[in-house]
Amino acid sequence: MPLVHRVGAIVLALAAVVIWFAMAPDESSDRSSDIASALADYGPNEARTEGAPQQQVVNGWVAKDLLTVIAEQQNDSVTDERLPALAVLVVLGLALHIATSTRPTTADGAASAPVAPAANPRPEPTPAL
């Protein structure tokens, strides 16, 4: 393997490791206290209901509170940019391989044409007498 391939492979491998650890997304904040608060309010409110319409109102309140928690989590979430960055490294690796690979040449310096396989590589059996 030529020296350029080895050096390029090492550089790309190191870049992949750096990307994987340096570009890791931050952990999202914990919303368990918000969820617990919404569900804690639900219990006493549900106990005071006296019919289906009041239960629907209380259920709507807790649903709104839980949806607010979900919306806040979505707003705080970050995307993981590591995979697109690693895909760029793959493209760079392919480009390095293509740019530095050599084609076999003939004695006069011209690039040799690919050799076509034989039409029938196995000999025909001779009939037995």
Side-chain angles (χ1 to χ4, degrees):
M1 184 164 21
L3 180 63
V4 174
H5 280 184
R6 288 184 183 166
V7 171
I10 290 170
V11 168
L12 289 174
L14 289 174
V17 170
V18 168
I19 284 173
W20 189 257
F21 290 109
M23 292 182 70
D26 296 332
E27 295 295 322
S28 61
S29 59
D30 185 22
R31 301 281 184 193
S32 58
S33 63
D34 294 338
I35 295 169
S37 172
L39 296 177
D41 292 342
Y42 175 72
N45 288 336
E46 221 276 308
R48 291 190 302 234
T49 61
E50 295 182 3
Q54 289 179 348
Q55 288 174 342
Q56 285 179 327
V57 169
V58 170
N59 289 338
W61 287 341
V62 75
K64 178 196 67 79
D65 292 343
L66 292 174
L67 285 173
T68 301
V69 172
I70 292 172
E72 289 172 355
Q73 283 178 331
Q74 289 294 327
N75 194 30
D76 292 344
S77 69
V78 293
T79 58
D80 191 356
E81 298 293 331
R82 295 181 293 185
L83 293 180
L86 291 174
V88 168
L89 288 182
V90 168
V91 170
L92 290 175
L94 286 172
L96 173 70
H97 177 71
I98 291 169
T100 59
S101 34
T102 57
R103 291 190 64 180
T105 58
T106 60
D108 63 355
S112 62
V115 178
N120 190 359
R122 290 184 281 170
E124 293 292 324
T126 55
L129 296 175

